[in-house]
Amino acid sequence: MSVTAVTGSASGIGAAVCEKLRAAGHTVIGIDRHQAEVNADLSSPEGRANAAEQVIKLANGKLDGLVCCAGLGVTAPSSSLVVSVNYFGSTELIELLQPALAKGEQPAITVIGSVAASQQVADPHPIIELMLNNDEPAARALADELGQPQIAYSASKYALTVHCRRLAVKTGSTGVRINLVAPGAIETPLHEASKQDPRFGEAVRNFVAPIGRNGQPSEIADAVSFLQSAQASFVHGSIIYVDGGMDAMMRSGKF
Ligand code: NAI
């Protein structure tokens, strides 16, 4: 039976992923700040090391899957926290769990990006290079200096996408597949908080996908469940947009 760790398991997309994977027969190890099999704070190197240590222990050193859902939106307490959780909370955990994954059965990683990453494609912000250079203190400092959580958010997801695609090339021969799901607007507590925010609420409410509605967490979990299954055995380094057509709307002529 496949043993899969899922970050952000206590809410929204992560909770839906846990439910779907359990139904598909996986043994799930949830990781979150609270209400999880592994309670850990992914915003710091110490918290990530603690999370990895507990997961490896619970999985007896051999992990078959990892799904990175934990993340913060534009209403986070600070932009530096967005950088630390969204980018380093996934990239460092992946690195720490790679040896256990390399021992797994048909191992696979799925990372939750965002359609918001596309906003950085035309003119990538310099903070992205700091993240890709693994310089967490400098990226955090610049994020807080900018004080624009929407830039920290889209940049963190852009950097995360680039990092994972590079990793797919670098570590493909280990047999650990890695892919991303890029959601559009999904009805979760994170999205609800953005809709209510006095700075961003109106823009978020007016940003409607061509399909005419927001998505449900289970619709993201379906894509994750596919990527974590044997049916996706040749899918590697890919981004699946599950966004009701938002990406197509924003850049139909580019992909
Ligand atoms: P959510 O707020 O419902 O769930 C996020 C989970 O991450 C929570 O359980 C939270 O406790 C956990 N988390 C946050 N900081 C953490 C930390 N320091 N350590 C451990 N766990 C932590 O949000 P949602 O919407 O389910 O988001 C999941 C992922 O999907 C995020 O990465 C988000 O950026 C991404 N996403 C969400 C979209 C949406 O419209 N809801 C759109 C695009 C991407």
Side-chain angles (χ1 to χ4, degrees), residues 88-136:
F88 294 98
S90 293
T91 58
E92 195 177 352
L93 193 68
I94 290 169
E95 192 181 339
L96 292 167
L97 292 177
Q98 270 280 357
L101 283 159
K103 292 181 200 153
E105 295 288 319
Q106 297 185 310
I109 303 170
T110 301
V111 175
I112 305 298
S114 173
V115 74
S118 311
Q119 291 164 16
Q120 291 288 332
V121 173
D123 189 15
H125 194 279
I127 196 171
I128 290 167
E129 216 42 51
L130 297 176
M131 286 185 254
L132 290 171
N133 286 338
N134 207 25
D135 193 342
E136 187 170 4

Side-chain angles (χ1 to χ4, degrees), residues 7-15 31-34 40-44 68-73 81 85-86 112-116 153 157 160 181-192 217 220:
T7 75
S9 59
S11 177
I13 293 170
I31 308 167
D32 210 303
R33 288 176 291 188
H34 44 69
D41 181 355
L42 297 173
S43 70
S44 70
C68 296
C69 299
L72 295 170
L81 210 50
V85 176
N86 293 10
I112 305 298
S114 173
V115 74
Y153 183 79
K157 293 295 187 177
L160 184 59
V181 171
I186 309 298
E187 298 290 351
T188 67
L190 180 153
H191 186 69
E192 188 55 35
I220 303 301

Side-chain angles (χ1 to χ4, degrees), residues 58-79:
L58 285 172
N60 294 319
K62 186 171 94 64
L63 195 61
D64 308 303
L66 171 65
V67 183
C68 296
C69 299
L72 295 170
V74 291
T75 63
S78 70
S79 293

